[in-house]
Amino acid sequence: MIRRTASLVAVLAALLPASAAFAADRATPEQAKSLVSDAVAYLKAKGQDDAVKAFQDPKGSFRRGELYVFVFDTNGRYIASGANPRLAGSDAADLKDAEGKPIVQAMIAETKDKPTAVIDYVWLNRQSNKVEHKHSYVTRDGNYIVGAGTYDD
């Protein structure tokens, strides 16, 4: 019994640093807002073609830990996806989250009369491989909706 308890304690102690490191790697809302601001500035300065390449580069400056940039046009078409570049050009107007909420339509609607919004939904966190609550910070600039999101702890 003592040996089994000691083994369990050793396993739990080994796991604690990993879970603490994962928690420490969580992006903050401020980091997501900063990434979106940087992405909007880059898009304005470089144009769509260069921006799409930069946003979708898995080793580029627009990939920061669990944060990545996504861009939709105001019709709901993917312009860029840092999480999955194959989505670029696809129609996401009817995209829904894990609970059935139409998230792209929410982004379009919430930024129609004001340039920025926070959209809450449930999405797969690719780092944890779990469906979690996500908060995406989006900015409308012309016909583009640029965003990045954070997950709850």
Side-chain angles (χ1 to χ4, degrees):
M1 179 70 165
I2 293 174
R3 181 176 288 156
R4 190 175 288 170
T5 302
S7 295
L8 180 60
V9 169
V11 168
L12 290 175
L15 291 175
L16 282 175
S19 63
F22 179 73
D25 289 342
R26 288 289 177 126
T28 66
E30 293 75 23
Q31 290 169 324
K33 291 174 190 174
S34 175
L35 180 58
V36 170
S37 178
D38 292 348
V40 168
Y42 192 91
L43 180 61
K44 284 181 179 179
K46 301 290 186 174
Q48 179 177 325
D49 291 341
D50 285 349
V52 167
K53 288 177 194 170
F55 298 161
Q56 296 187 151
D57 181 352
K59 296 182 181 182
S61 65
F62 291 98
R63 191 66 196 245
R64 301 175 188 169
E66 70 180 4
L67 290 177
Y68 58 87
V69 172
F70 56 83
V71 183
F72 298 103
D73 68 18
T74 53
N75 294 317
R77 183 163 297 282
Y78 262 112
I79 302 300
S81 172
N84 185 353
R86 292 176 294 189
L87 293 173
S90 68
D91 184 2
D94 295 325
L95 183 66
K96 295 180 178 165
D97 76 355
E99 294 178 340
K101 178 180 179 177
I103 58 176
V104 177
Q105 289 301 318
M107 291 176 189
I108 293 168
E110 290 293 320
T111 59
K112 186 174 183 181
D113 296 324
K114 58 183 179 182
T116 63
V118 178
I119 308 300
D120 298 322
Y121 54 101
V122 180
W123 203 248
L124 175 66
N125 181 335
R126 294 177 185 272
Q127 281 196 335
S128 70
N129 204 31
K130 293 179 183 177
V131 175
E132 300 178 29
H133 288 275
K134 186 170 187 175
H135 315 283
S136 282
Y137 301 86
V138 294
T139 296
R140 182 185 290 224
D141 185 65
N143 290 325
Y144 299 107
I145 298 170
V146 181
T150 61
Y151 294 93
D152 286 347
D153 287 332

